[in-house]
Amino acid sequence: MANNKITFNPDTGVAYGVNLVINQGADFRSSFHITQENSGDFDLSDYTLKGKLKKSVSIGSSSGGVTNFTTGITSATEGKFALTLTDTVTSTLKPGRYHFDLNAQISTGSTVYKMASGSVIVEGGLDIS
């Protein structure tokens, strides 16, 4: 499980860069702690989060479908949440490089902010079942 601390300011429009590693065929969970630029916790109480994973669009990669992360806010007032994928979902991912985006939307509005984005490496493994 990875723990990521990122800074988020919706006014800047800049996504925080985060890289993730997913082991094919295993449960995936990455925890996040969002802070404001002044280092205080970012309150997620009024936000809905969505994370998506897509095969990289870089040269030499093939296109692929979009996989949705399950996003679970674990403490809204402390700015804590997790992205997860089940082993069933990760077993369908081919090893290689992917890209992910994490968006935050104010629950009462239509404005969507890109909170974080980055590369994801899906590592293949031995089938030990």
Side-chain angles (χ1 to χ4, degrees):
M1 173 174 72
N3 294 308
N4 302 285
K5 186 172 182 177
I6 64 175
T7 303
F8 176 59
N9 180 347
D11 297 329
T12 64
V14 177
Y16 198 90
V18 177
N19 295 321
L20 304 172
V21 176
I22 296 173
N23 292 311
Q24 183 185 40
D27 288 329
F28 169 79
R29 179 182 172 89
S30 187
S31 298
F32 289 80
H33 180 198
I34 308 301
T35 60
Q36 300 177 56
E37 290 177 334
N38 67 2
S39 297
D41 293 335
F42 188 92
D43 190 348
L44 293 168
S45 296
D46 294 330
Y47 287 84
T48 301
L49 304 177
K50 292 183 181 177
K52 295 191 176 203
L53 174 73
K54 182 170 175 62
K55 189 69 176 156
S56 174
V57 293
S58 64
I59 296 173
S61 69
S62 60
S63 62
V66 173
T67 301
N68 294 315
F69 285 103
T70 299
T71 54
I73 295 176
T74 56
S75 177
T77 57
E78 294 179 316
K80 294 182 180 180
F81 69 94
L83 296 178
T84 60
L85 294 171
T86 65
D87 60 338
T88 304
V89 173
T90 65
S91 67
T92 66
L93 300 173
K94 294 182 181 180
R97 184 177 304 276
Y98 291 73
H99 179 80
F100 89 98
D101 287 326
L102 174 64
N103 293 335
Q105 181 175 3
I106 298 175
S107 302
T108 58
S110 60
T111 304
V112 177
Y113 303 99
K114 187 183 282 192
M115 182 180 281
S117 66
S119 294
V120 178
I121 300 297
V122 175
E123 294 184 342
L126 300 173
D127 183 9
I128 57 173
S129 55

